[in-house]
């Protein structure tokens, strides 16, 4: 639990999918150490915070499927996600993404709320609902993600500033 960060010049090498599954990883907002997914292709974080970006790719350049919200943690991340990986929101908390992202994989909502605070917060891939809800903010209110929502296994839940809608 708590916050995990890496000091300048340091490195954190993840070798267990749930190594920081209940902790918020802080990418920080200035010089920082490095995070390595090593050979992992999946990882769970409690949350994300900070302004530096995070690359969803392991040391072999393979995609990393990142789940955030482990332990029902809520967090706010102003950096961007990039690389070939994907993002899944789990748990009951809220994950706020305020930066533009370019990750190549899907966005999946399983639990809680995924708050898009930037029109490019969810990159350009497909969006799937298996629970949870997508939450718009003033910054993303004009964004139309409808054409990207595919094959959802549960109700599609959209929250427009506290006005929850499901289909």
């Amino acid at each position: 639990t708590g916050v995990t960060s890496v000091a300048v010049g340091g490195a954190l090498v993840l070798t267990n999918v749930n190594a920081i599954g209940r902790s918020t990883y802080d990418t920080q907002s200035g010089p920082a150490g490095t995070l390595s997914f090593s050979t992992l292709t999946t990882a769970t974080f409690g949350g994300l915070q900070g302004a530096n970006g995070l690359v969803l790719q392991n040391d072999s350049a393979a995609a990393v499927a990142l789940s955030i919200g482990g332990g029902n943690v809520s967090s706010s991340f102003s950096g961007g996600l990039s690389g070939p990986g994907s993002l899944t929101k789990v748990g009951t908390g809220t994950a706020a993404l305020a930066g533009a992202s370019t990750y190549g994989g899907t966005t999946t909502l399983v639990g809680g709320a995924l708050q898009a605070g930037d029109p490019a917060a969810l990159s350009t891939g497909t969006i799937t609902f298996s629970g949870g809800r997508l939450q718009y903010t003033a910054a993303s209110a004009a964004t139309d993600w409808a054409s990207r929502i595919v094959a959802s296994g549960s109700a599609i839940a959209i929250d427009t500033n506290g006005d929850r809608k499901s289909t």
Side-chain angles (χ1 to χ4, degrees):
T1 62
V3 175
T4 300
S5 60
V6 184
V8 174
L12 175 61
V13 179
L14 300 179
T15 58
N16 181 302
V17 171
N18 294 306
I20 55 175
R22 294 181 178 271
S23 177
T24 296
Y25 178 66
D26 186 356
T27 65
Q28 303 181 47
S29 57
T34 59
L35 172 75
S36 165
F37 288 104
S38 185
T39 60
L40 296 177
T41 55
T42 62
T44 298
F45 293 0
L48 277 172
Q49 72 181 35
N52 290 335
L54 179 65
V55 180
L56 302 179
Q57 176 175 301
N58 71 14
D59 293 349
S60 300
V64 172
L66 178 64
S67 293
I68 56 174
N72 302 318
V73 171
S74 291
S75 63
S76 183
F77 178 55
S78 59
L81 299 172
S82 62
S86 59
L87 178 68
T88 299
K89 171 59 185 84
V90 299
T92 58
T94 298
L97 303 178
S101 291
T102 58
Y103 58 93
T106 61
T107 302
T108 303
L109 289 89
V110 174
L114 183 58
Q115 185 182 84
D118 183 282
L122 306 181
S123 195
T124 59
T126 58
I127 302 169
T128 302
F129 288 79
S130 295
R133 68 186 184 279
L134 175 60
Q135 200 171 53
Y136 284 78
T137 66
S140 64
T143 306
D144 182 2
W145 286 302
S147 65
R148 295 177 40 203
I149 298 172
V150 297
S152 292
S154 67
I156 296 169
I158 307 292
D159 183 339
T160 57
N161 197 22
D163 182 22
R164 295 182 186 178
K165 304 290 183 191
S166 293
T167 60

